[in-house]
Amino acid sequence: MSAAAVRGPVHGAGDTVDPSTARPRSIDLRLALPALVGWLTAVVLVGVSGAAAAVALAALALAISAAIACRRPGRAAGRAGETRVAAVVAASIPSLVAVAVAAAAVALAAPARLPPVLADELERGATVAVVLELEQTVQPALDGGPDAGSTFGGGTSADALIVAVTPADASLAANGSTLSEAAPVAVRVPVRVLGLEATERLPLGTRLEGRVRVIPLDAGEDRVALVRAVTELAPIGRPPPLVGAADGLRAGFLELMQPFEGDGGDLLPGLAIGDTTAVSDDLDADMKSSALSHLTAVSGANCAIVVGLVLGIGALARWPRPVRVAVALAALGGFVVLVTPEPSVVRAAVMAAVVLLALASGRPARGLPVLGLAVLGIVVLDPWIAREYGFVLSVLATASLLVLAGPLAAVLGRWLPAPLALAVAVPLAAQVACQPVLILLAPEVPLSGVLANMLAAPAAPVATIVGMVACLLAPIIPPLAMLVAGIAWLPAAWIAGVARVCSALPGALLPWPEGAVGALLLAALTVAALIAAGLPAPLGSPRLRLRVAMAAVAALAIIAGATAGAAALRALGRPADWVIAQCDIGQGDAVLVRSAGAVALIDTGADPALLTRCLDTLGITRLDLLVLTHFDLDHAGGVPAVVGRVETVLHGPTGRPSDEAVLDALAAGGAALALSGEGDRGVLGAYAWRLLGPPDHRGVEPGNDASLVLELRPGPACSRCPSMLALGDLGAEAQVRLAAAHDLRPVDIVKVSHHGSPDQHLPLYATVAAPLALIGVGAENTYGHPAPGLLAELAAGGTTVVRSDAHGLALIGPPAVGQSALRVWVERGAVEQLAPADGVDPAAPADAVGGAG
């Protein structure tokens, strides 16, 4: 399509033009197409090492050649054809220039992302002395509170910049916490800090100093590397005054929100100031399932609200236009600093700034060209943002509102009143544009998303603006701020309630093929549906559009049916509400725990392929927690199967380079690492977990007796869920010490130590009195596992044994209604009748649920 064919006015989102009588909508793509081409260029080139400069020069040469060809005079013969060719070439010049500019931006930025001083250290595999500057606020973990549960042991991850590197020949000072007198080299390298221990609030912009180990990431990642501290990271500098003042406002607002309980109190800080630390995992899952995840934190729409309010106040006060624009720009900058520059906020802020500048010059600014200019500008300034999901979804949602919302409202207006048609069109347009990308994050389509967005949309701006007012009032008039926060809590609670209800509706989620294949299939069906509906403008004849519609419906039925059918066949005969699963992974341990949407894996076995088969069979795509009891091959050899799929890893002491290599692989896949031991505790869904050992990981020799010992107790939300004690590979002496150090209470399930070896302290098993014992063991192993004497003692104590060599995959669910015994499903063979499960008294106090000791 030529440039001349796409020029013309764009209808607003509220237009209700009848497509049957209206002229076809024309879309101004003069800046949108070059921006899209430049964006895709950055997406490709940030992952291509060393080729960016060559591509930039080639694209630039092509653009110059095209420009020269356009200026050549045509001959008389065939002048019309040559004029057409010249017009096409001329229309291509902006896109060619965008390719050259984006490629040049990547080529110029790439060397600075990994400067020689840091590259040399990475080649040596040595630790380096650095100064880090935090790019987000880090909160200290609170013992027993939500933070402790979410960080699984106190350590958290945070985005940061390495702003200084000390060369290898420089050393740390005597105390190991400050750099030597050798002058550090200034750099700006984006990294993610793993296992950051914060004893106090560390605001955005705080500088930390210490020695770290750097783990490189793939070229296309937004971060250059992962960083693990090997010494204390000591704060050496506070953030700049403006950033510090904004953090003080955020901290004050979080303190103000302490009395407000429930989902509304958890969600409001995210809506108002972009702080999502209080949002629980289950609320976050419900927000995603109902397509409301864009409301979990500040979105780009808030920039438009802020600018609109300032311009409206200025108009009422009759400020001159330059004054209104200047004040709006200042308010926009302050808002971005207050909520921190997330990708969606940056995109919206740049777009709003372009509109304001156009307004100041007296020239109109249309939405799509402005969006194109904003996207291209952001990508040129930071090419690696092109691959960030937040940025991609923000741009797609905005473009859909500009291009699809108006025509979609016009079509829906044939059957619905105009206001209702628009209310449906806006969230539907955004979901249509974003859903193919969201498939890459979760292979499911939220069918209740449009309804949820319609119900939540009126409350979102109220919660955001009133919450921001409370934030600004908190340090000035605290009582009034508390009252205003209470008003903002109401719409925030409404949004959370909508998410809870819509996510629980029958058929709320449509299963879909996962990965790139699923995304491409959904994108193709989306395009077909738009063509069939004549959106954003009719293409082809009505008969052709009808055929496209019929083909799209048939393809949708086939894909959805095949996906749902495959899932049903996989789940046939298995209990859908299983809580504990023992994988059949040969000689080794791999036990899954599932609760309230959260999943933990205790050890991985030795074979990644066997573990992958088990996870795929159970439909597990993401692990909230991986517990590596120790680093023997039969417990950690399967780690490659879960790299890139783990949120947090609990691990004990390391003793070999191969142990560190396991952790490095997990960290490179995005997992947060937490060196853990006795006393660490947290939550997993409705479970409370605690570690009973090792007693002191700094003084324990790595190996079997240094295994992490995990106890799981159900909370009040799942009082019938089975409790479990996982003993790792503890030997008899270590079991004796464990029993002496803790007041062990009965549990429903015990994961037998060391695959049922004879090296056991049998009184421990009598104390925990578990009706069910799990033994991960390989068929015909050469170790004699499980020991006949142990099996006899367990049977004598009334414990039913489920072993992976005899039973294969095993799934355990809570007792059925009116029953007292756990429900057990095994892949092969049979298990005897279980004794009643002891469980946890639902009336037990919270401390008892979490365990004593």
Side-chain angles (χ1 to χ4, degrees):
M1 183 180 292
S2 67
V6 297
R7 297 176 184 173
V10 180
H11 294 297
D15 294 342
T16 56
V17 181
D18 186 351
S20 63
T21 60
R23 295 175 58 188
R25 291 168 49 89
S26 55
I27 304 171
D28 191 343
L29 299 178
R30 289 170 295 177
L31 282 176
L33 280 178
L36 176 61
V37 172
W39 182 9
L40 294 177
T41 300
V43 169
V44 173
L45 293 184
V46 294
V48 180
S49 177
V55 174
L57 292 175
L60 185 59
L62 181 59
I64 295 174
S65 300
I68 294 175
C70 289
R71 298 179 63 87
R72 290 179 179 174
R75 295 175 297 180
R79 181 170 298 171
E82 291 184 3
T83 302
R84 188 177 299 110
V85 172
V88 172
V89 173
S92 302
I93 290 176
S95 295
L96 295 174
V97 172
V99 170
V101 170
V106 175
L108 292 173
R113 285 173 60 87
L114 190 59
V117 64
L118 188 58
D120 294 342
E121 301 300 330
L122 291 180
E123 289 182 2
R124 298 189 186 98
T127 59
V128 293
V130 299
V131 174
L132 299 168
E133 184 176 287
L134 294 179
E135 292 189 297
Q136 66 184 84
T137 298
V138 177
Q139 293 271 25
L142 303 176
D143 292 338
D147 290 335
S150 62
T151 56
F152 297 107
T156 187
S157 61
D159 288 342
L161 289 170
I162 296 179
V163 296
V165 178
T166 301
D169 55 354
S171 59
L172 290 177
N175 60 9
S177 62
T178 59
L179 295 176
S180 68
E181 296 181 359
V185 178
V187 295
R188 290 188 70 81
V189 179
V191 296
R192 180 160 294 122
V193 186
L194 302 177
L196 180 59
E197 301 284 349
T199 57
E200 60 180 352
R201 181 183 174 89
L202 300 177
L204 166 76
T206 299
R207 292 201 168 192
L208 305 172
E209 186 180 59
R211 184 170 287 273
V212 299
R213 187 177 186 189
V214 183
I215 307 167
L217 292 174
D218 294 336
E221 299 289 340
D222 62 323
R223 304 279 107 181
V224 172
L226 302 175
V227 166
R228 289 174 55 204
V230 296
T231 67
E232 179 185 0
L233 292 177
I236 60 170
R238 306 300 294 177
L242 180 61
V243 176
D247 183 75
L249 287 174
R250 291 195 296 270
F253 183 68
L254 293 177
E255 184 177 355
L256 184 73
M257 292 302 301
Q258 290 296 326
F260 296 93
E261 299 180 352
D263 291 340
D266 295 342
L267 190 60
L268 183 56
L271 284 164
I273 60 173
D275 191 305
T276 61
T277 54
V279 177
S280 62
D281 291 340
D282 59 329
L283 176 58
D284 183 63
D286 287 342
M287 294 289 286
K288 292 176 180 176
S289 299
S290 56
L292 293 176
S293 57
H294 61 286
L295 297 180
T296 303
V298 172
S299 67
N302 302 100
C303 290
I305 296 174
V306 171
V307 170
L309 282 177
V310 174
L311 292 178
I313 293 173
L316 291 176
R318 297 185 177 182
W319 294 344
R321 183 166 60 188
V323 174
R324 294 201 304 269
V325 171
V327 174
L329 284 172
L332 181 62
F335 173 76
V336 172
V337 172
L338 176 63
V339 302
T340 68
E342 294 293 332
S344 61
V345 178
V346 170
R347 186 271 312 157
V350 173
M351 184 175 175
V354 172
V355 173
L356 287 172
L357 293 175
L359 179 64
S361 66
R363 298 180 178 179
R366 292 176 178 174
L368 204 57
V370 170
L371 176 63
L373 185 60
V375 169
L376 189 57
I378 293 172
V379 168
V380 169
L381 292 175
D382 182 10
W384 275 262
I385 202 176
R387 291 192 177 193
E388 289 190 17
Y389 280 109
F391 179 74
V392 173
L393 294 172
S394 176
V395 174
L396 290 178
T398 303
S400 70
L401 297 181
L402 295 171
V403 175
L404 288 178
L408 185 56
V411 172
L412 295 175
R414 299 174 184 176
W415 305 281
L416 301 175
L420 182 58
L422 182 60
V424 174
V426 169
L428 182 57
Q431 185 171 347
V432 163
C434 295
Q435 195 58 53
V437 177
L438 292 172
I439 289 296
L440 298 174
L441 301 176
E444 55 198 16
V445 179
L447 299 181
S448 62
V450 174
L451 174 63
N453 275 275
M454 287 178 59
L455 295 174
V462 178
T464 298
I465 296 302
V466 178
M468 286 184 60
V469 171
C471 177
L472 297 175
L473 288 175
I476 304 173
I477 314 176
L480 180 59
M482 181 69 72
L483 176 62
V484 174
I487 297 173
W489 177 87
L490 293 173
W494 167 260
I495 294 172
V498 168
R500 296 288 196 188
V501 172
C502 289
S503 64
L505 292 175
L509 294 174
L510 175 67
W512 197 260
E514 63 183 6
V517 173
L520 291 174
L521 286 174
L522 187 56
L525 284 179
T526 299
V527 172
L530 293 176
I531 292 174
L535 298 172
L539 293 177
S541 65
R543 177 176 295 181
L544 175 62
R545 294 199 296 273
L546 178 60
R547 291 176 178 174
V548 172
M550 294 175 63
V553 171
L556 176 63
I558 292 172
I559 295 172
T563 305
L569 289 176
R570 287 197 304 267
L572 186 63
R574 297 197 303 264
D577 60 344
W578 65 268
V579 180
I580 308 292
Q582 177 170 259
C583 293
D584 181 13
I585 43 80
Q587 180 71 12
D589 282 346
V591 177
L592 288 159
V593 182
R594 186 179 69 169
S595 175
V599 180
L601 173 64
I602 306 172
D603 289 329
T604 68
D607 190 340
L610 294 177
L611 179 61
T612 297
R613 185 183 68 181
C614 179
L615 297 177
D616 291 345
T617 297
L618 298 177
I620 303 299
T621 59
R622 190 74 183 166
L623 298 172
D624 299 89
L625 181 64
L626 171 62
V627 181
L628 292 178
T629 60
H630 60 298
F631 291 93
D632 286 354
L633 181 66
D634 55 348
H635 291 259
V639 160
V642 297
V643 168
R645 304 165 70 176
V646 181
E647 290 287 343
T648 304
V649 177
L650 299 184
H651 67 90
T654 58
R656 300 164 294 185
S658 59
D659 301 348
E660 291 290 342
V662 168
L663 296 179
D664 288 349
L666 289 164
L673 307 180
L675 178 59
S676 306
E678 180 182 14
D680 290 343
R681 62 181 64 212
V683 295
L684 178 84
Y687 273 108
W689 61 261
R690 64 166 180 161
L691 291 178
L692 306 184
D696 186 350
H697 55 70
R698 292 176 298 275
V700 174
E701 187 71 21
N704 288 348
D705 287 349
S707 295
L708 299 185
V709 178
L710 181 70
E711 181 189 65
L712 288 155
R713 297 279 179 181
C718 188
S719 59
R720 296 178 64 83
C721 292
S723 56
M724 185 173 74
L725 178 65
L727 294 170
D729 270 3
L730 294 186
E733 292 184 5
Q735 293 177 29
V736 170
R737 292 193 295 268
L738 177 72
H742 297 278
D743 181 17
L744 298 177
R745 295 184 294 125
V747 294
D748 301 318
I749 302 171
V750 61
K751 201 291 296 179
V752 174
S753 177
H754 205 183
H755 323 293
S757 79
D759 186 22
Q760 307 285 343
H761 178 55
L762 295 179
L764 181 149
Y765 292 94
T767 300
V768 299
L772 180 65
L774 301 179
I775 302 180
V777 61
E780 300 178 357
N781 67 85
T782 60
Y783 307 101
H785 298 164
L790 171 66
L791 295 178
E793 288 290 337
L794 291 173
T799 297
T800 297
V801 175
V802 172
R803 40 192 286 190
S804 58
D805 61 339
H807 300 116
L809 173 67
L811 303 178
I812 298 96
V817 176
Q819 302 294 320
S820 57
L822 297 175
R823 290 178 294 118
V824 180
W825 175 92
V826 293
E827 189 175 19
R828 54 183 181 267
V831 296
E832 63 186 70
Q833 178 66 35
L834 293 178
D838 292 323
V840 175
D841 184 357
D847 287 344
V849 172

